[in-house]
Amino acid sequence: MTANNENKSSVEKALHLLDSFSDRKFFLSLEEIADHSDIPKTTTFRLLASLESYGYIRKTITAGKTYYSLGYGFLTKGNMVAKHIDIREVARDEMRELRDQSGLTVQLAIRDGAHALYVEQFESWSPIRVFPSIGRRIPLHAAACPRVLLAYLSETEQQSLIKQLNFQGDALKNLCNEETLIEHLYEIRSKGFSISRGELIPGTIALAVPIINPATEDVIASLSLIALESHFSDNIEDYLPMLKKSSQQISAKLIS
């Protein structure tokens, strides 16, 4: 092993090891991987075992010899990334049209662990900018758009996340305990939308609905309208039909 490899971290070595694989060299022996990555066989074997335990390496035995290949973990993560990139691309036209129709800011969020990640936004024509920007991560329990994502998780996953919450934060001032939050999430799922008032930014209102992947029937994103209270009409739910229509159009495009 070269001096340069000696100074690499375990993560760097694992990534260098993965670079050994290609379309032409998809099945490799331990010796071939060690030679290509210039990492000792004992270290290579240990790294391969770790990667295999997480599904990123597959081990097969052919004619008594062990070969390694990339695992299905990459396929799962790759599909996840592609799905979220696709939803952003697919949603843009509908989001722009919704912004023009409503005159309000339109946002798109996806789940990122225990948070919602805002991946796209079309701002209103108002000169006042007070809303979460693209790339901002918000806890799933806070505000309309994130809470839609939390409401449509499986019961097991939802309960696991709720157990980790701190109910003393400002975002949960109206949801002061676990029971109240669960009731609120049930209401969101029953009605098909969520409303929040000033939870992230004082003086604002947000209205959000889910975006469903027709192929799996999973909620893969949430779409919302957000503005200062003074920019909404008297009845916030007047905006619900246009918001739901945009969500349904985005869903339809996912299988077109």
Side-chain angles (χ1 to χ4, degrees), residues 15-214:
L15 292 173
H16 192 45
L17 180 154
L18 292 171
D19 281 339
S20 303
F21 298 94
S22 66
D23 284 338
R24 295 180 61 185
K25 296 181 178 180
F26 194 72
F27 294 95
L28 298 172
S29 66
L30 174 64
E31 292 77 11
E32 289 172 323
I33 297 170
D35 288 344
H36 182 276
S37 59
D38 193 24
I39 297 174
K41 282 175 60 176
T42 52
T43 303
T44 298
F45 179 80
R46 176 175 55 82
L47 291 172
L48 287 170
S50 295
L51 289 166
E52 183 185 7
S53 69
Y54 283 93
Y56 294 111
I57 285 290
R58 291 180 65 209
K59 182 169 65 176
T60 56
I61 299 176
T62 304
K65 184 159 183 163
T66 300
Y67 291 91
Y68 298 89
S69 62
L70 298 182
Y72 292 124
F74 286 105
L75 181 61
T76 302
K77 298 299 184 185
N79 285 339
M80 187 186 306
V81 171
K83 178 175 64 177
H84 289 154
I85 290 174
D86 286 345
I87 189 63
R88 183 180 175 185
E89 295 293 330
V90 168
R92 279 179 175 154
D93 288 344
E94 276 65 32
M95 291 180 69
R96 186 183 295 108
E97 184 176 338
L98 179 60
R99 185 273 311 274
D100 294 344
Q101 183 182 4
S102 67
L104 307 177
T105 293
V106 183
Q107 297 180 323
L108 180 72
I110 61 173
R111 184 188 168 205
D112 182 20
H115 293 77
L117 175 66
Y118 288 88
V119 295
E120 190 57 277
Q121 175 171 293
F122 283 83
E123 295 185 24
S124 71
W125 302 120
S126 168
I128 303 173
R129 298 180 61 186
V130 292
F131 313 121
S133 57
I134 296 173
R136 185 175 179 185
R137 296 170 75 246
I138 303 294
L140 282 177
H141 62 268
C145 216
R147 230 164 12 238
V148 163
L149 298 172
L150 180 59
Y152 283 87
L153 291 177
S154 68
E155 184 177 351
T156 300
E157 198 166 15
Q158 188 182 98
Q159 289 180 349
S160 176
L161 287 169
I162 291 174
K163 294 290 185 186
Q164 304 171 36
L165 296 181
N166 174 12
F167 287 90
Q168 303 306 312
D170 289 340
L172 286 176
K173 58 189 175 184
N174 297 320
L175 304 167
C176 57
N177 56 55
E178 181 178 331
E179 183 179 351
T180 304
L181 176 58
I182 291 174
E183 289 176 359
H184 186 62
L185 294 175
Y186 178 80
E187 182 181 0
I188 291 172
R189 193 155 184 163
S190 298
K191 291 184 175 180
F193 66 90
S194 176
I195 296 176
S196 62
R197 300 174 184 270
E199 292 187 26
L200 297 179
I201 304 163
T204 62
I205 298 179
L207 175 67
V209 297
I211 296 176
I212 299 171
N213 183 346

